Amino acid sequence: MNKKRISWLMTIAAAGMIVFGLWFSGTQAATFAKGYFLYKADSVSAEDFAPKLQTTNAEVSLPDAAPNESPQAPIEETKETKETEEAAQLPKDIQYPTDPQIGDLMGELIIPKLEASLPIIHGTDEDELEKGVGHYADSVLPGQSDNSVLSGHRDTVFRELGKVGKGDEFIVNTADGTFTYRVRQVRIVDEDDRTVIVPKPRATLTVSTCYPFDFVGYAPERYILVADLISSS
């Protein structure tokens, strides 16, 4: 009797584990599949964009940045006076012929460090973030003066973003131009920190995702990369 009862309990437990495993793998598989199609790892390399990044009359080169620094030791902001002087040397503000609408494909974000190409969608609601990297609608467009803000999920498009740090580059490719930014600051901030979207005195790209990357559940912080425009073509 005891053996039959134990066997019955083991059968119930095994069936429960199988059901849970199917449910868990199904949800994880959906997330992985979404990330796989959005995050085209190894599909793009820096060399693919070399012709677009050659020096032009509009290009401004800044000094080489220092090697990557740990996000646990944020780098101090460049002084506003210095930023203002450098901003005066940048190309004239680009004018887009039309403003994008929420849900529009704006272009692509190239991350040479990760050899990745990601679609940029105008808007940062869940519908947009499911399709790629979201562009915060209240921020300026890439290439324009001030702060252009991009966000993405840490378990899909930005699951490798932690490998990107100070001195690395972002390339934003749109129908109206190619804009290269160099990361000068890495920040870890609280999820409610609004300094991420504040105006900047020069053309800036702010890239944000949830942090820690391996946190189970809703992550309480944000991994922020602040990059300056160094070339425009």
Side-chain angles (χ1 to χ4, degrees):
M1 182 69 178
N2 289 338
K3 290 184 177 179
K4 289 183 177 180
R5 183 179 179 83
I6 292 174
S7 176
W8 180 78
L9 290 174
M10 290 180 65
T11 300
I12 295 297
M17 292 178 65
I18 291 173
V19 171
F20 175 79
L22 290 173
W23 171 82
F24 180 80
S25 61
T27 55
Q28 292 299 309
T31 299
F32 176 81
K34 180 169 60 177
Y36 176 81
F37 288 111
L38 293 177
Y39 183 93
K40 298 174 286 186
D42 299 326
S43 64
V44 177
S45 65
E47 288 77 9
D48 294 333
F49 290 85
K52 298 180 181 179
L53 301 179
Q54 292 176 352
T55 303
T56 65
N57 293 333
E59 182 172 343
V60 176
S61 297
L62 299 181
D64 289 335
N68 291 353
E69 297 186 11
S70 170
Q72 282 74 22
I75 301 110
E76 293 295 328
E77 285 274 6
T78 305
K79 291 184 179 180
E80 185 174 345
T81 52
K82 184 177 180 181
E83 285 186 333
T84 304
E85 291 175 358
E86 291 177 340
Q89 303 175 27
L90 287 171
K92 291 184 178 180
D93 205 10
I94 183 173
Q95 298 297 321
Y96 285 77
T98 58
D99 292 330
Q101 301 299 308
I102 297 297
D104 285 353
L105 175 65
M106 292 175 50
E108 59 182 343
L109 174 66
I110 311 300
I111 311 178
K113 177 71 172 288
L114 305 180
E115 298 186 339
S117 171
L118 308 168
I120 301 175
I121 310 298
H122 188 57
T124 50
D125 289 336
E126 191 59 35
D127 288 344
E128 289 78 56
L129 295 181
E130 285 184 353
K131 301 174 184 176
V133 177
H135 171 256
Y136 182 58
D138 289 337
S139 67
V140 299
L141 298 176
Q144 294 183 328
S145 298
D146 210 327
N147 190 13
S148 184
V149 181
L150 302 180
S151 298
H153 286 316
R154 64 187 165 106
D155 56 355
T156 57
V157 292
F158 282 159
R159 66 175 182 263
E160 298 292 330
L161 193 65
K163 297 178 181 179
V164 181
K166 186 180 177 183
D168 292 326
E169 294 182 353
F170 292 114
I171 303 169
V172 179
N173 202 17
T174 74
D176 297 286
T178 297
F179 312 101
T180 303
Y181 297 83
R182 180 175 297 144
V183 177
R184 67 170 163 82
Q185 185 187 31
V186 179
R187 303 176 63 200
I188 304 299
V189 303
D190 184 78
E191 61 174 325
D192 297 322
D193 191 321
R194 306 302 293 175
T195 62
V196 174
I197 57 177
V198 297
K200 300 287 186 180
R202 62 175 300 171
T204 302
L205 185 72
T206 299
V207 180
S208 169
T209 193
C210 295
Y211 183 87
F213 291 96
D214 57 355
F215 193 84
V216 177
Y218 186 79
E221 298 176 306
R222 299 293 179 264
Y223 185 78
I224 310 296
L225 297 170
V226 182
D228 295 326
L229 181 67
I230 61 171
S231 72
S232 175
S233 63

